[in-house]
C-alpha cells in the first residue's frame, strides 16, 4: 500500500518527485506521505509522562517535521512519525504540503 501513495527510498531513486504521480491515501488526499518531510507549526517536544505540545520558541529550538521523505525508508512515512529539525534547516527532503478544496 505505501508504495502506491508515497515516495520513499525504495521507489524514489533517493530524489524528490513531482507531485500527483501516486494514488490518493485512504482519505482521498494526494501526496501526504513521503517525498519531502512536512514542516509543521509545532515546536518539538519529546513527549514524556506529561504529553503536551510546545508552542513557545524559547522553550525549544527544534520544530516538528512529519510524513517521511524520498531519502528514508517507509517506516518514516507514517503520519504519526515525528522528527525534529532546527527551523534554519533547508533543501533536500524538507518542504511543505499544500491543500485546497476541489470544486
Amino acid at each position: 500500500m505505501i508504495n502506491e501513495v508515497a515516495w520513499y527510498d525504495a521507489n524514489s531513486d533517493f530524489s524528490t518527485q513531482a507531485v500527483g504521480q501516486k494514488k490518493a491515501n485512504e482519505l482521498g488526499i494526494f501526496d501526504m506521505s513521503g517525498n519531502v518531510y512536512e514542516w509543521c507549526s509545532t515546536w518539538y517536544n519529546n513527549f514524556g509522562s506529561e504529553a503536551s505540545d510546545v508552542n513557545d520558541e524559547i522553550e525549544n529550538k527544534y520544530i516538528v517535521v512529519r510524513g517521511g521523505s524520498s531519502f528514508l525508508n517507509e517506516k518514516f512515512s507514517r503520519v504519526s512519525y515525528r522528527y525534529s529539525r532546527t527551523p534554519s534547516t533547508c533543501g533536500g527532503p524538507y518542504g511543505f504540503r499544500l491543500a485546497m478544496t476541489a470544486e
Side-chain angles (χ1 to χ4, degrees):
M1 169 76 175
I2 187 73
N3 194 48
E4 296 177 351
V5 298
W7 293 109
Y8 59 101
D9 66 347
N11 69 359
S12 70
D13 201 25
F14 296 96
S15 63
T16 57
Q17 306 293 318
V19 299
Q21 298 182 66
K22 295 289 186 177
K23 292 181 180 179
N25 65 16
E26 63 273 2
L27 300 173
I29 304 171
F30 293 88
D31 301 311
M32 292 304 292
S33 299
N35 209 18
V36 295
Y37 274 116
E38 175 186 355
W39 287 108
C40 298
S41 62
T42 305
W43 293 93
Y44 187 82
N45 183 18
N46 284 323
F47 295 131
S49 59
E50 296 180 25
S52 64
D53 285 345
V54 174
N55 291 311
D56 188 350
E57 179 181 3
I58 296 169
E59 292 182 35
N60 197 310
K61 299 296 181 195
Y62 298 94
I63 200 159
V64 173
V65 293
R66 290 185 184 267
S69 81
S70 56
F71 297 85
L72 297 172
N73 72 46
E74 62 187 82
K75 78 175 186 177
F76 297 102
S77 294
R78 292 184 344 225
V79 175
S80 61
Y81 182 79
R82 298 166 58 250
Y83 195 61
S84 66
R85 280 291 182 235
T86 61
S88 61
T89 303
C90 63
Y94 303 99
F96 58 96
R97 304 184 199 294
L98 299 175
M100 64 180 269
T101 303
E103 295 192 35

